[in-house]
Amino acid sequence: MILAIAYLASCMLIGLVIEYFVGFSEHLYSKISFSFIIGTVLCGSIVYLVSLLFGFNIICCIACLLLILIVLVFFLSGNGKAVISSIKKSTKTLSVFAVVLLLFFLPFFLFGVCKSETGEIFFTGNYADYSYHSAIVNSFAEQEKVLIDNPQSAFNPLRYHYMVNFYSAILVKLGMSSLFAISLMQVLTALSAIFILENFFKILFKNKGATIISSCFLLFIHIGIFSLAFAVLGLRYGSTKIMEVQNLLNPFTFKEIATYPYFNFLEPVISLFNPQRPFLLAFPIFCIIITMLLKSDFSNEPERISARNFFKSKYFIIFLISLFPLIHIHTFLASVFILFFFIIQNTRKIMKKAFAQIKSNNLVLLFLLFSIILIIVQISYLLSSPKSPDYSGFDVYSQGGLKESEITKSAFLNRMIFWARAAGPSLLIGFFCSCVFIFDFFIKKKNKAKRTVLKQVFACDSGNAKRIMFSMLASGILFFLLINFYRMTPSWGDSNKLYFFLNFSFALTLGYLYSKNVFSKSRNRILRMVLLWFIVLLFCSPFLIEFYLKFGGPFRESILQPKTFSAKIEALRFCSGYHFGSLVNEGEPEIVEWIKMNTIPQSIFLTSDDTIHFLAAETGRRVVMGSYVRETGYFSQEKSRDIEAVYSSGDIELIRKYKIDYVFIGPLERRRFSVNDSAFERYPLAYLTDEKKGQYRIYDVRQE
């Protein structure tokens, strides 16, 4: 545990030195947030590269910690006093905006995962993803290599953006428990995301009202009003129709309707960030990149790139982007497109300076080549994963992605209705603001005297702010077109992450127009404040319903009152609805400990393919076919039939075919398969639980 804390502290200190070189923020909390994110990513990448060569073990982690400390001493030897002075001079006040975000943001991470005194684990939020990520973290921690197999599909490589899980696994290797390593990283990353986002909005808008309105639009805007309207009209709600308005008076029915369908398009706090760990880490890195672009002056960079001014240059931004594919591939795409659109708006000056820098220092060219190779290797690794035929393709409509919106006979109108229902407020408000912004963007300064009153009202400043917003908007529109025709199965696919960047660009145009235009006159102050808080409440009201149902009276009472664990489970089940999940139940912590103590990390287990299964999630052992195998392309009908046959017959040939070491039988397996206990009597019974804790059995099938 001490080594893990020392590693985190070293990452933070490395990050603080880099923050001093970059000049990221004048605010203390933003400095610390930048330091945590950048320090974790860079130091974690060092551990990953070293582990590729020498194996991922405790000795390698300690050696990397010593290497990081040496680098830290080198940096601080010449800049230590300046770094300390920069911290002392930084602003330490906590803005109202940050407090509001903290109150809304952090409960999903602080109270999302709970562990009882006897080891049971339950959580609220996107619990299916939590189970999947926990399996990856524990698989890294239990094995001594970084190119691990997919823990949910034995003998198949893990083609996934898994680096955030590797960063947690480093802490586990250094003595921290896996649950605490995952939760701590979640909370610290969530905190960092808040302050880094706030810093970006402050620099871009220089206006508190615009910062508030944009953040509410981005994080809390909701489809509630549109979904309720669809319900009142009697249109489909899931597989049924809501014909009576009085049904909406029930708060739980109201909540279900207000968040249906596909609320994950517009609720990043609940559905995208918690606990989709890759996106949670990628988002603050993305905000750091666009903040650096906003503050950049690439055309006036020095021709000689030194170790110090490297971190303020475009090459450090390119390097951060080159680390993205294994952190989060969708955010990598967004970063590349935004950098591209940003550069083409000032291509001549930037390219001229880049050629001069390469000419004066060949290391710059080598560094660019290294970054490009890094990107190619990572993307090739990810794309080598097989694709499920029913999960991707260009003919979205025939895949069923829009079936619930088949209201008319026109595929085009149905698509429009789908988006009105899935993201109505965002699209309407964002489309208006974006049209106004684009209209202004292409008006040249030389024509300013000839502008109409409307053009004057929506006049914007030139410079990086405008370039960033145009880059974001252009990228977001491209992604929106993409998800309408490729890999858009909205109820579960990756479309929500790509739509998020369009929504982000809408938030920026709304805040920018608010800060620069019609409400900037002092005589409109009262009208401006009234409009601001009306829009904030409009954005947040459906989200507040969700927030209260999760963290209101029932949740507070279930956590604070001295009840039994089972009573807390029932209370949370009541107040959280389908968002509640249980990862480890009574009796299962002992099984986890037994498996870790009595089986080798390379063991193969046969289990059910339930999305949430404690065995893979908590032990790090590989299973033959577990969760998300369809999405990762590893599902096989033949394998599914063979697994059913093993549970019904104990067939030794099939067991040898899939190199199974242990067959696990628990409640999930008995519910999923027709388990024939007598068929396994020929195998040694390795583990049997007490009848009171459920009937769990583990058979050692390595030999009859």
Side-chain angles (χ1 to χ4, degrees):
M1 186 69 171
I2 295 175
L3 288 174
I5 294 172
Y7 172 79
L8 278 177
S10 302
C11 293
M12 288 282 291
L13 291 173
I14 287 282
L16 277 173
V17 176
I18 295 174
E19 194 283 331
Y20 165 71
F21 291 150
V22 172
F24 179 74
S25 175
E26 296 178 355
H27 196 277
L28 177 63
Y29 304 110
S30 299
K31 286 178 180 288
I32 294 173
S33 299
F34 175 96
S35 303
F36 169 73
I37 295 295
I38 295 300
T40 299
V41 170
L42 295 183
C43 294
S45 299
I46 291 172
V47 177
Y48 185 83
L49 291 174
V50 174
S51 299
L52 274 174
L53 299 174
F54 303 105
F56 184 47
N57 50 54
I58 182 66
I59 296 174
C60 174
C61 291
I62 293 174
C64 289
L65 176 59
L66 294 175
L67 176 62
I68 292 167
L69 290 173
I70 292 170
V71 173
L72 180 62
V73 170
F74 171 77
F75 275 136
L76 290 177
S77 61
N79 304 284
K81 291 183 179 180
V83 172
I84 295 171
S85 176
S86 173
I87 295 172
K88 288 181 177 179
K89 293 178 181 178
S90 58
T91 307
K92 300 174 179 64
T93 55
L94 198 61
S95 67
V96 176
F97 163 78
V99 172
V100 171
L101 282 186
L102 287 169
L103 290 175
F104 278 104
F105 219 75
L106 283 185
F108 292 98
F109 302 93
L110 289 173
F111 304 113
V113 182
C114 301
K115 187 173 184 178
S116 73
E117 298 82 0
T118 52
E120 296 95 332
I121 299 173
F122 65 99
F123 41 88
T124 183
N126 190 354
Y127 54 89
D129 277 1
Y130 178 88
S131 176
Y132 186 75
H133 291 298
S134 178
I136 297 174
V137 171
N138 283 294
S139 187
F140 271 125
E142 289 292 319
Q143 300 187 45
E144 295 194 354
K145 59 181 182 178
V146 292
L147 298 177
I148 61 172
D149 289 346
N150 189 332
Q152 305 290 352
S153 182
F155 302 111
N156 290 312
L158 181 63
R159 312 292 192 189
Y160 184 71
H161 38 224
Y162 53 64
M163 285 302 290
V164 65
N165 297 313
F166 180 78
Y167 300 152
S168 290
I170 295 172
L171 301 179
V172 178
K173 285 284 190 183
L174 292 173
M176 192 176 286
S177 70
S178 62
L179 179 66
F180 189 62
I182 294 171
S183 301
L184 180 63
M185 291 292 288
Q186 288 271 111
V187 172
L188 292 178
T189 309
L191 273 169
S192 301
I194 292 169
F195 292 115
I196 291 171
L197 178 64
E198 179 194 25
N199 183 67
F200 171 69
F201 281 153
K202 282 183 175 179
I203 296 172
L204 179 66
F205 300 133
K206 300 179 177 66
N207 182 289
K208 291 182 180 179
T211 299
I212 293 171
I213 200 172
S214 292
S215 61
C216 289
F217 185 96
L218 176 64
L219 298 177
F220 304 131
I221 192 169
H222 202 287
I223 61 171
I225 295 173
F226 276 63
S227 287
L228 291 171
F230 272 78
V232 170
L233 291 172
L235 298 175
R236 289 188 65 181
Y237 167 65
S239 58
T240 62
K241 289 186 177 181
I242 308 273
M243 301 302 293
E244 299 180 359
V245 179
Q246 56 263 35
N247 289 340
L248 301 179
L249 299 178
N250 183 300
F252 293 99
T253 304
F254 184 88
K255 188 265 290 188
E256 292 295 323
I257 297 171
T259 58
Y260 187 89
Y262 318 135
F263 64 90
N264 56 0
F265 277 105
L266 290 177
E267 279 196 310
V269 175
I270 296 175
S271 302
L272 298 186
F273 290 160
N274 180 32
Q276 292 192 8
R277 307 184 74 241
F279 197 28
L280 177 62
L281 177 62
F283 177 66
I285 303 174
F286 175 79
C287 290
I288 288 171
I289 288 172
I290 57 179
T291 303
M292 292 179 67
L293 288 174
L294 183 62
K295 299 178 68 174
S296 67
D297 188 8
F298 294 153
S299 59
N300 291 322
E301 285 180 353
E303 290 190 6
R304 192 75 180 176
I305 299 295
S306 64
R308 178 168 179 170
N309 59 33
F310 163 78
F311 292 104
K312 293 187 69 173
S313 70
K314 52 184 167 290
Y315 305 108
F316 182 60
I317 294 175
I318 293 171
F319 178 66
L320 287 179
I321 292 175
S322 73
L323 298 177
F324 252 135
L326 283 180
I327 294 176
H328 193 246
I329 186 64
H330 310 91
T331 312
F332 165 76
L333 293 175
S335 302
V336 168
F337 276 106
I338 287 167
L339 181 62
F340 170 76
F341 284 119
F342 184 85
I343 289 176
I344 63 173
Q345 295 174 67
N346 198 14
T347 307
R348 184 178 298 177
K349 290 183 179 180
I350 293 176
M351 296 306 295
K352 183 178 179 181
K353 178 62 67 174
F355 283 126
Q357 291 167 337
I358 291 171
K359 188 176 180 181
S360 63
N361 191 348
N362 291 331
L363 289 177
V364 173
L365 178 60
L366 292 175
F367 180 81
L368 286 174
L369 291 174
F370 172 75
S371 299
I372 293 170
I373 292 170
L374 205 58
I375 291 171
I376 292 172
V377 169
Q378 293 177 84
I379 291 180
S380 300
Y381 181 74
L382 292 173
L383 293 181
S384 63
S385 176
K387 297 294 184 295
S388 175
D390 61 350
Y391 187 68
S392 62
F394 281 94
D395 191 3
V396 175
Y397 192 79
S398 66
Q399 295 179 42
L402 306 174
K403 290 296 183 184
E404 291 189 352
S405 296
E406 284 187 345
I407 296 172
T408 73
K409 294 182 179 180
S410 168
F412 179 75
L413 288 177
N414 286 339
R415 193 180 297 270
M416 291 182 65
I417 292 169
F418 161 77
W419 279 112
R421 190 169 185 173
S426 167
L427 282 175
L428 286 180
I429 299 171
F431 181 74
F432 170 76
C433 295
S434 301
C435 287
V436 173
F437 174 77
I438 292 172
F439 173 72
D440 173 78
F441 186 82
F442 291 104
I443 296 176
K444 304 299 182 182
K445 279 187 174 182
K446 62 182 180 181
N447 296 326
K448 185 174 181 180
K450 300 179 181 179
R451 289 181 181 178
T452 63
V453 174
L454 180 63
K455 293 178 182 178
Q456 286 284 9
V457 164
F458 292 107
C460 301
D461 296 336
S462 59
N464 283 351
K466 211 168 180 181
R467 294 191 187 106
I468 283 289
M469 293 177 60
F470 176 78
S471 302
M472 289 281 293
L473 193 58
S475 302
I477 291 171
L478 282 178
F479 291 147
F480 184 69
L481 293 174
L482 175 66
I483 64 179
N484 269 276
F485 299 99
Y486 178 72
R487 204 175 171 88
M488 195 198 81
T489 42
S491 58
W492 70 84
D494 296 323
S495 310
N496 50 7
K497 286 94 167 176
L498 294 178
Y499 181 83
F500 174 80
F501 293 105
L502 177 65
N503 202 45
F504 198 171
S505 67
F506 287 164
L508 296 185
T509 56
L510 174 62
Y512 196 79
L513 295 177
Y514 177 91
S515 66
K516 294 294 182 182
N517 305 306
V518 73
F519 302 106
S520 61
K521 301 293 184 181
S522 59
R523 63 176 179 272
N524 292 324
R525 183 175 299 173
I526 296 176
L527 178 62
R528 186 170 70 247
M529 292 302 297
V530 170
L531 180 69
L532 169 65
W533 289 110
F534 172 76
I535 294 176
V536 167
L537 290 175
L538 183 68
F539 292 168
C540 296
S541 54
F543 180 88
L544 289 171
I545 298 170
E546 184 84 10
F547 186 89
Y548 175 76
L549 289 172
K550 283 179 174 295
F551 301 110
F555 180 89
R556 185 171 59 251
E557 292 174 6
S558 67
I559 293 297
L560 298 180
Q561 290 185 5
K563 298 178 180 179
T564 63
F565 187 75
S566 59
K568 290 183 178 183
I569 292 286
E570 291 305 315
L572 283 168
R573 191 187 305 277
F574 171 76
C575 69
S576 297
Y578 64 87
H579 290 292
F580 169 81
S582 180
L583 177 61
V584 180
N585 297 304
E586 185 179 3
E588 292 174 350
E590 292 89 345
I591 302 174
V592 171
E593 289 302 316
W594 185 89
I595 290 174
K596 287 185 175 182
M597 293 293 294
N598 294 276
T599 66
I600 60 173
Q602 293 76 29
S603 299
I604 308 296
F605 278 76
L606 185 67
T607 67
S608 69
D609 60 353
D610 288 79
T611 304
I612 301 173
H613 200 298
F614 80 94
L615 195 147
E618 290 298 297
T619 65
R621 303 303 189 262
R622 294 170 294 170
V623 301
V624 176
M625 193 168 72
S627 63
Y628 290 125
V629 287
R630 286 186 182 273
E631 290 81 354
T632 53
Y634 292 125
F635 177 78
S636 165
Q637 288 287 356
E638 179 187 0
K639 186 184 290 187
S640 181
R641 288 192 297 268
D642 288 346
I643 291 172
E644 290 185 23
V646 170
Y647 275 108
S648 62
S649 66
D651 191 327
I652 187 62
E653 294 302 322
L654 291 176
I655 288 172
R656 288 172 178 170
K657 177 181 178 181
Y658 295 105
K659 301 179 181 180
I660 301 168
D661 297 314
Y662 299 92
V663 173
F664 178 83
I665 301 176
L668 295 178
E669 285 70 28
R670 294 185 185 280
R671 185 184 65 190
R672 174 72 174 78
F673 307 111
S674 298
V675 177
N676 182 2
D677 290 296
S678 61
F680 292 94
E681 291 179 355
R682 51 182 160 160
Y683 301 109
L685 181 61
Y687 186 87
L688 175 65
T689 58
D690 191 316
E691 290 285 345
K692 295 180 180 179
K693 296 183 178 180
Q695 191 70 10
Y696 294 92
R697 295 169 180 262
I698 298 176
Y699 289 96
D700 186 345
V701 295
R702 291 173 293 180
Q703 57 183 359
E704 292 186 76

